[in-house]
Amino acid sequence: MTLLKISGGKVVDPVHGIKGEVLDLWIRDGVIIAKPANPEETPDKVIDASGRLIMAGGVDMHCHIAGPKVNLARKMRPEDKRNARPVQRTLLTRSGTGGSVPSTFATGYLYAGLGYTTAFDAAVPPLGARHAHEELQDTPLLDKGFYVLMGNNHYALKQIAANEPGRLRDFTAWLLQASKGYAIKLVNPGGVEVWKSGGGNIHELDEQVGHFSCTPRQIIQGLAQTAMDLELPHPVHVHCNNLGLPGNWRTTLATMEALEGRRAHLTHVQFHSYGGEPDRQDLFSSKTLELAEYVNDHPNLTVDVGQVLFGNTTSMTGDGPLGYYLHKVTGGKWTNADTEMEAGCGIVPVTYREKSFVNALQWAIGLEWYLLVKDPWRVAMSTDHPNGGSFLAYPQIIQLLMDRNCRREVLKRVNPRVLERSQLWDLDREYSLEEIAIITRAGPARCLGLKNKGHLGPGADADITIYNESADIRAMFEMPWKVIKDGVVVVDQGEIREAEGGRTYYVHPEFDSAGVNDIQKWFESFYTIQFANYPVGEEYLAGGGVRSSCGSRS
Amino acid sequence: MTELKVVANATCTFCGCVCDDIELTVEGDHITKAKNACVLGKAWFLNHHVEPGPSARIRGKEVSLEEAMDEAARILTDAKFPIVYGLSDTTCEAQRVAVAIADWVGACIDTTTSVCHGPSGMAFQGVGEVTCSLGEVKNRADLVIFWGCNPAESHPRHWTRYSTMPKGLFVPRGRKDRTVVLVDVRKTKSAPAADIFLQIRPRMDFEVLWVLRALVKGLKLDPADLADTGVSLQQLEDLAGKMKSCKFGVLFFGMGLSMTRGKHLNVEAALALTRDLNDFTRFYAAPMRGHGNVTGADNVVSWQTGYPFGVHLGKGFPRFNPGEFTTTDTLARKEADAAMIIASDPMGNFSQAARDHLGTIPYIALDPKETATTAAATVAFTTATYGINVPGTVYRMDDVPIPLRAAFDSPHPSDELVLRGIEKRVRALQRASAAAR
Amino acid sequence: MEKKAEELFILIAGRSTRQGTSMNESKFGKDYTEEIGTVQVCPEDMNRLAISPGDLVRLRTGQGAIEIPCVAARDGELPPGMLFMAYGHYSSQLMGSDTHGTGMPSSKGLDVYFSRIGPPVSA
């Protein structure tokens, strides 16, 4: 039993309405507690945080950090790492490579160094779940988990086509259990299956998905409902159809409407907010306002942004046809990796250029999203790492959100046509520190149903970031003074002090075992591994794992 | 009376097919039946015997495990340019510890990938790869091409489980719904199973692949240009036509491409050809990986260091350069001054110059069987066999991770256990030496 | 022992079933060492060079030379001018260490100078 006190810091804890008051925090065995009632009780350790700013540890709800596609990207891009600063081995820590797709240990250290203590990979095919878990075990200092790709899963599509919501629910629960995943992920629902069945894509919500008698609309509705019926801690996590295509905002709006009030999280909305027409780059424009207004009016929806930053990065996606599209745009190397019965994958190196009209508008659209969604609880910080840029760019985005002059300086440099097609210049809103705390930890934690994360009240995990208060916002967020994970100082002024820790979060929804026979019959007809060898055992869970409960959402 | 045990859904790790549908009958410390296994798998399971000797030896003399781990840690920490090599026939759990040791001591970490599909890995870095899991082939492929490989002898169940015979979702009649093509310099035992066999001249793969790329793009070629290739323009026009008009094509390539002059350029041509074909249809490529967990080794080294093989950690961070940091090179150039060889036999199959140098430096070897490499090792560990005595994880040739089930216990320790012991000692030595400074 | 002039052949080293099945028994056993220590020659070349199965032949490259027995390849498997042997201790002695910047020595499609030595001494 160790008792830790963090004294004298200015606490920003939006969950409890605390906006920079000087407060002491008490921590026992890795958990935040109320001040001990017994005045005799003295802390084993005191951290004097006077004059410093305290927030809960950051929570990244949408990134790509582990599993098959991430590792393919590592293998494919030596040049990306050679151009990046490497992570040096110390007596305590492992070495690694950086760049847009850091190696696993480096990923853990870099996130922790940034004050982030939780991160979720957004797209894992269940057949590769064991791989993702192995990598998460080698990604230290983070609590973590992943979302399971389901929007092109044959069995799910079959049940949707047959209007069998009960079977769909049982299958989803079985699949989440088997993969030890955290949430349902849709990627280009139906479109990936079309790409896998001879090429092409799907462009309309009511188009039929190839050989399945169902449509993207039905997939979205069916799995959104399933997530709610299973009372999963996180609602369905949707990567809409038509990512990246001019004019796709109509699809995005139609997707929001198709949800008909069901809870859903729409991810990297920046990539889905484009006006114009598919083959007319000159008409390319921002439609953030229209979409953000819809989100503002519909509390069933949350979004993360997928901010684009200028520079070179790696696009990696479960959206196979998108990978092909990007390959055709860049003309460079391209990896496509399709998974039987389940999913697709595309990986392409990309560079976002300031002088490119399209890229600069993408950058502006991302910022518009942060600024036009009125309720910060419903918009989460993300770069869709590494698709829009690295998670290491979060401090830069924070600066852009807190300082309108800063973003106007960038607008002066970039392709001037952006000013005509975006309203970013005119958006005066500047984020407060409380709002930053919401979009980087409190909001995503709530959206993920992580009750012990994102805040500093009694019962919360003692994942705490202490910043040096500074007028230089970017520098302040780039290097926290101390980062505490489970009550232990893991990073001190940029130096890793503790190299291990972090657990894998997963869900274990119940299902009717009578449905398993049918699943097994289907599985044995089409898969190439044994049914018994498919489920991932508990030995693959980092730190023994944490089972998030279903059905306890208030 | 020996206890009889049946292990269902066991996984064979002999080759990259990693068949996980084997039913083992175990009597004591012998496997007496291996249902579903191929000729190689049967030999793998049924011929398996536990090496009678000690688990640990130093210069041929039996020692305790602890003494051997102490000596191994000392060799690795004393060295200026240690190398860690092998890894393709052990679990990912062991591989992860091996890479950790290499990191702590600043070694070159390399795997048998560098002498099988390392060039394919380099080609991948050049052009990428359009690939898929084997179940996609099973369910969809109507054109299956094998190039520079001989599955009949090296991957006997590839055809029946994954690529040509099985009935799949969109190929309900199995073999009848598929066209199978073999391209090789020899008319191997695989040839009779193919509908079309193209016998090309040795070292002409690059040229033939580029001719196909040109034909796929619709370019007109002079038949005389193909004079040296062993095949006619008409044969290749026919093949290019089939490739463009199939619904789902796949090209499996073997070491006939990666080990022959041209190496990564041969593979790059194959990957570019199959990529190009996606302008017309869906077309995929995949290497025929050899050892049971060589694919896992690529994955583990990649996720821990960022690079797939041939990684130098001596400067305190990972650097990648095939030809410089790969094991044939570090040995033949006499740069390595100590080595740890895990589950592979460079003394049996490396170039003479590399073998000669390995024989002059202190090295540690871990292997379930006595080999030329263990016989000459300074410190030799006889370890338990993965997939027979040791559970864990392996990756099939298509990157699909598969669990292993142990059939019976071995008196010898697992690779993972030995490596963890060495890692612990290495780190203790390093902390002591840092404290002394 | 009569020694014929050397001829240039192309050697393919590769895997064989017998090698795969015997290596689990032991790499020091008769099956394994026999399998990796025998070179296959096509029947046409055997006839032309008057080589009988079991005869010792010599394979030489810039790296080294080996003297091992040969067998006739199955009909049609090898074209004239090509040799095959299972990859291992002997084939590796013919292989160079230069990996041309890849890590992979050229191990298939090697130019080798081939000559007949004669019947094995024990015969």
Side-chain angles (χ1 to χ4, degrees):
Chain A
M1 301 274 277
T2 58
L3 187 63
L4 168 69
K5 180 185 176 189
I6 303 173
S7 69
K10 288 161 82 173
V11 175
V12 178
D13 181 10
V15 171
H16 298 98
I18 301 168
K19 301 179 177 181
E21 286 96 300
V22 174
L23 291 171
D24 294 339
L25 292 178
W26 293 82
I27 294 147
R28 178 170 282 146
D29 298 330
V31 177
I32 297 178
I33 56 167
K35 183 181 176 179
N38 179 0
E40 304 285 292
E41 212 169 351
T42 53
D44 301 293
K45 187 180 171 186
V46 178
I47 293 173
D48 180 3
S50 305
R52 296 194 160 92
L53 195 75
I54 301 181
M55 293 186 187
V59 177
D60 194 339
M61 69 175 295
H62 189 106
C63 56
H64 300 276
I65 54 170
K69 69 184 174 325
V70 178
N71 220 28
L72 281 170
R74 292 190 188 105
K75 289 182 207 166
M76 187 177 82
R77 298 209 60 198
E79 75 285 5
D80 180 37
K81 290 172 275 279
R82 282 174 176 152
N83 293 331
R85 202 170 74 175
V87 173
Q88 283 275 350
R89 175 186 69 247
T90 68
L91 267 184
L92 190 66
T93 56
R94 296 284 303 277
S95 73
T97 39
S100 61
V101 197
S103 52
T104 53
F105 292 97
T107 299
Y109 304 150
L110 291 168
Y111 260 113
L114 206 61
Y116 271 71
T117 48
T118 302
F120 278 78
D121 188 282
V124 171
L127 191 58
R130 189 172 273 112
H131 176 174
H133 281 295
E134 286 201 292
E135 287 197 23
L136 290 179
Q137 286 183 323
D138 281 350
T139 308
L141 303 179
L142 287 175
D143 285 338
K144 54 233 161 185
F146 58 76
Y147 313 146
V148 175
L149 290 168
M150 283 196 68
N152 295 279
N153 182 295
H154 283 206
Y155 194 86
L157 266 53
K158 259 176 62 168
Q159 303 319 318
I160 290 164
N163 193 22
E164 288 275 5
R167 283 190 170 195
L168 179 63
R169 192 168 58 238
D170 285 343
F171 173 68
T172 303
W174 172 83
L175 190 65
L176 287 167
Q177 280 201 15
S179 57
K180 300 263 185 298
Y182 190 79
I184 301 170
K185 174 73 181 296
L186 307 188
V187 168
N188 184 3
V192 177
E193 177 56 27
V194 169
W195 165 245
K196 286 164 71 181
S197 308
N201 199 349
I202 225 166
H203 295 294
E204 300 291 339
L205 285 196
D206 294 316
E207 239 175 281
Q208 187 170 309
V209 181
H211 50 101
F212 290 99
S213 303
C214 69
T215 63
R217 179 185 306 280
Q218 291 169 307
I219 299 170
I220 293 160
Q221 291 176 339
L223 284 164
Q225 189 62 45
T226 298
M228 290 169 63
D229 292 346
L230 290 171
E231 298 185 73
L232 299 178
H234 183 50
V236 68
H237 195 103
V238 187
H239 156 149
C240 295
N241 303 90
N242 288 332
L243 187 150
L245 299 184
N248 65 7
W249 77 282
R250 290 182 203 89
T251 311
T252 310
L253 185 62
T255 302
M256 292 177 179
E257 289 167 351
L259 286 158
E260 295 171 349
R262 295 177 186 89
R263 291 188 65 225
H265 179 85
L266 269 65
T267 188
H268 40 67
V269 283
Q270 176 277 127
F271 289 112
H272 301 274
S273 308
Y274 306 150
E277 289 168 26
D279 297 315
R280 293 283 305 277
Q281 209 200 83
D282 56 316
L283 297 178
F284 195 58
S285 66
S286 165
K287 288 289 180 183
T288 312
L289 184 63
E290 288 83 345
L291 294 171
E293 274 180 356
Y294 190 91
V295 170
N296 286 334
D297 293 340
H298 292 82
N300 58 312
L301 301 175
T302 53
V303 301
D304 69 85
V305 171
Q307 179 68 40
V308 152
L309 284 309
F310 299 112
N312 179 267
T313 189
T314 306
S315 168
M316 60 170 76
T317 173
D319 195 341
L322 171 67
Y324 176 67
Y325 172 80
L326 289 173
H327 160 63
K328 285 299 182 190
V329 170
T330 66
K333 57 187 172 184
W334 162 47
T335 289
N336 174 98
D338 294 342
T339 302
E340 63 212 56
M341 315 317 290
E342 297 181 347
C345 162
I347 306 166
V348 177
V350 290
T351 301
Y352 298 105
R353 295 182 173 85
E354 287 188 354
K355 296 302 175 198
S356 150
F357 166 55
V358 170
N359 295 161
L361 191 58
Q362 290 178 304
W363 174 85
I365 289 172
L367 293 173
E368 286 177 352
W369 265 104
Y370 290 109
L371 298 167
L372 289 170
V373 173
K374 288 181 185 145
D375 177 4
W377 288 94
R378 295 200 287 119
V379 56
M381 170 84 75
S382 82
T383 57
D384 186 14
H385 163 83
N387 284 291
S390 166
F391 61 84
L392 293 170
Y394 291 163
Q396 188 187 334
I397 301 171
I398 291 171
Q399 184 184 35
L400 291 164
L401 295 179
M402 293 185 71
D403 182 350
R404 59 178 166 258
N405 290 326
C406 181
R407 40 187 197 254
R408 283 174 187 163
E409 283 309 309
V410 180
L411 277 172
K412 286 179 197 164
R413 288 205 303 270
V414 303
N415 189 302
R417 284 162 66 206
V418 169
L419 291 174
E420 302 160 21
R421 301 291 171 85
S422 146
Q423 52 179 312
L424 184 61
W425 183 277
D426 300 320
L427 295 176
D428 286 335
R429 181 176 171 190
E430 291 183 330
Y431 265 60
S432 66
L433 278 174
E434 294 77 56
E435 288 176 317
I436 293 296
I438 293 169
I439 66 167
T440 56
R441 46 265 281 166
R446 178 179 286 182
C447 183
L448 288 168
L450 294 169
K451 295 196 170 65
N452 302 334
K453 306 269 180 214
H455 69 93
L456 298 167
D461 296 337
D463 298 348
I464 301 168
T465 306
I466 311 177
Y467 297 101
N468 294 311
E469 231 185 334
S470 163
D472 185 343
I473 290 293
R474 182 169 165 177
M476 168 177 149
F477 280 97
E478 270 175 353
M479 196 192 283
W481 180 59
K482 283 186 202 298
V483 182
I484 294 165
K485 175 91 194 67
D486 294 316
V488 177
V489 175
V490 293
V491 184
D492 190 348
Q493 298 176 75
E495 221 167 277
I496 307 286
R497 294 285 184 211
E498 191 65 49
E500 282 164 31
R503 295 169 295 255
T504 299
Y505 280 64
Y506 67 104
V507 293
H508 193 81
E510 297 303 324
F511 58 91
D512 182 354
S513 58
V516 175
N517 277 345
D518 190 59
I519 298 171
Q520 181 167 359
K521 211 176 126 211
W522 164 78
F523 189 103
E524 289 175 346
S525 302
F526 303 118
Y527 273 82
T528 51
I529 82 168
Q530 293 296 99
F531 188 67
N533 288 334
Y534 188 69
V536 176
E538 295 193 349
E539 67 275 20
Y540 289 95
L541 295 167
V546 178
R547 190 182 281 190
S548 283
S549 54
C550 300
S552 54
R553 166 166 286 278
S554 50
Chain B
M1 194 183 132
T2 36
E3 195 191 342
L4 198 82
K5 186 169 84 171
V6 173
V7 181
N9 304 305
T11 299
C12 172
T13 55
F14 184 80
C15 82
C17 284
V18 191
C19 302
D20 70 333
D21 63 341
I22 315 295
E23 188 182 296
L24 300 176
T25 304
V26 187
E27 294 178 36
D29 61 357
H30 275 94
I31 296 167
T32 52
K33 280 185 203 150
K35 198 177 144 196
N36 292 337
C38 68
V39 56
L40 296 173
K42 283 209 162 52
W44 167 250
F45 286 114
L46 304 182
N47 292 352
H48 177 76
H49 58 272
V50 174
E51 285 284 335
S55 295
R57 288 168 293 166
I58 297 179
R59 291 174 201 89
K61 190 168 150 282
E62 177 173 356
V63 295
S64 72
L65 264 185
E66 288 69 25
E67 286 172 276
M69 291 192 258
D70 285 343
E71 179 68 2
R74 196 191 56 72
I75 289 171
L76 291 169
T77 47
D78 281 354
K80 288 197 174 65
F81 195 125
I83 61 171
V84 176
Y85 174 75
L87 297 179
S88 56
D89 272 319
T90 190
T91 61
C92 290
E93 287 77 0
Q95 291 165 350
R96 286 158 67 185
V97 186
V99 183
I101 294 170
D103 197 3
W104 298 127
V105 303
C108 247
I109 176 84
D110 188 32
T111 74
T112 63
T113 281
S114 70
V115 293
C116 63
H117 275 288
S120 309
M122 293 170 67
F124 176 62
Q125 295 172 342
V127 297
E129 181 178 58
V130 180
T131 193
C132 61
S133 72
L134 289 167
E136 283 291 284
V137 176
K138 164 180 157 168
N139 285 307
R140 300 182 196 262
D142 59 348
L143 176 63
V144 186
I145 302 174
F146 294 93
W147 196 305
C149 55
N150 180 11
E153 296 202 66
S154 59
H155 300 87
R157 289 185 80 204
H158 196 277
W159 289 334
T160 49
R161 259 173 82 74
Y162 308 124
S163 55
T164 68
M165 306 304 286
K167 297 182 164 105
L169 186 58
F170 301 105
V171 275
R173 297 182 305 154
R175 181 66 179 84
K176 289 195 191 78
D177 286 333
R178 309 182 204 261
T179 303
V180 178
V181 180
L182 179 71
V183 184
D184 205 344
V185 298
R186 285 192 298 145
K187 192 168 182 182
T188 62
K189 292 197 174 84
S190 298
D195 299 306
I196 299 169
F197 172 59
L198 295 182
Q199 187 160 11
I200 61 172
R201 294 227 171 102
R203 304 185 293 223
M204 280 292 154
D205 305 88
F206 179 85
E207 288 79 356
V208 174
L209 285 162
W210 273 80
V211 165
L212 283 169
R213 284 195 73 189
L215 294 174
V216 164
K217 295 264 184 195
L219 301 181
K220 294 276 170 250
L221 298 176
D222 181 347
D225 293 342
L226 278 76
D228 296 333
T229 61
V231 285
S232 70
L233 182 59
Q234 196 193 344
Q235 283 175 299
L236 294 185
E237 279 172 345
D238 176 60
L239 180 59
K242 286 190 165 59
M243 293 174 97
K244 285 169 80 167
S245 62
C246 71
K247 289 199 186 103
F248 180 117
V250 58
L251 189 155
F252 290 105
F253 58 94
M255 294 191 288
L257 290 185
S258 64
M259 282 186 165
T260 305
R261 189 180 70 189
K263 296 166 192 168
H264 58 294
L265 299 175
N266 299 333
V267 179
E268 205 168 274
L271 297 183
L273 168 65
T274 47
R275 179 198 64 195
D276 294 350
L277 281 158
N278 284 278
D279 290 344
F280 306 95
T281 181
R282 292 309 316 279
F283 217 103
Y284 300 79
M288 296 286 275
R289 303 306 306 270
H291 293 284
N293 199 23
V294 68
T295 307
D298 284 9
N299 275 304
V300 168
V301 176
S302 294
W303 83 55
Q304 291 205 356
T305 74
Y307 303 114
F309 63 94
V311 184
H312 182 270
L313 296 156
K315 286 209 184 299
F317 60 88
R319 294 186 300 151
F320 169 69
N321 200 11
E324 185 178 9
F325 304 137
T326 31
T327 305
T328 289
D329 307 274
T330 54
L331 285 175
R333 279 200 301 263
K334 303 184 169 76
E335 290 164 344
D337 63 349
M340 179 160 71
I341 313 291
I342 301 152
S344 72
D345 187 17
M347 275 298 194
N349 53 30
F350 264 32
S351 70
Q352 198 55 48
R355 288 192 260 188
D356 287 347
H357 182 65
L358 184 58
T360 68
I361 60 175
Y363 77 88
I364 302 133
L366 286 74
D367 205 296
K369 299 271 194 303
E370 185 76 349
T371 66
T373 301
T374 59
T378 317
V379 183
F381 294 93
T382 305
T383 53
T385 302
Y386 78 139
I388 291 181
N389 315 121
V390 183
T393 315
V394 298
Y395 285 59
R396 201 168 64 186
M397 60 167 75
D398 57 350
D399 282 328
V400 170
I402 293 175
L404 302 178
R405 294 163 198 270
F408 61 90
D409 287 339
S410 165
H412 300 301
S414 68
D415 291 328
E416 184 190 357
L417 187 139
V418 171
L419 291 167
R420 284 198 186 282
I422 295 172
E423 185 195 14
K424 195 176 125 195
R425 285 163 174 79
V426 161
R427 297 198 67 193
L429 287 171
Q430 290 183 329
R431 277 193 293 265
S433 114
R437 276 202 298 274
Chain C
M1 211 187 291
E2 179 195 6
K3 192 167 176 181
K4 292 242 169 93
E6 287 182 325
E7 267 192 50
L8 193 58
F9 274 65
I10 291 178
L11 172 69
I12 307 288
R15 300 270 176 224
S16 75
T17 304
R18 188 173 173 220
Q19 177 187 28
T21 54
S22 59
M23 68 191 292
N24 292 305
E25 197 60 61
S26 167
K27 281 193 168 180
F28 300 107
K30 178 170 170 290
D31 276 4
Y32 184 82
T33 46
E34 198 174 276
E35 182 66 4
I36 65 165
T38 306
V39 62
Q40 296 177 18
V41 185
C42 82
E44 295 91 320
D45 285 328
M46 298 275 280
N47 284 337
R48 186 171 59 80
L49 299 170
I51 302 173
S52 307
D55 278 0
L56 279 180
V57 292
R58 181 178 154 89
L59 280 68
R60 183 178 67 82
T61 68
Q63 301 304 319
I66 54 174
E67 295 182 0
I68 54 173
C70 68
V71 292
R74 283 186 326 137
D75 250 353
E77 183 152 331
L78 290 178
M82 193 188 290
L83 307 169
F84 175 82
M85 62 189 294
Y87 188 63
H89 173 70
Y90 296 100
S91 71
S92 297
Q93 292 179 37
L94 301 172
M95 181 177 83
S97 305
D98 189 348
T99 71
H100 310 104
T102 67
M104 165 73 79
S106 294
S107 341
K108 288 183 189 284
L110 297 181
D111 285 327
V112 295
Y113 290 96
F114 177 80
S115 55
R116 174 175 180 267
I117 296 173
V121 180
S122 58

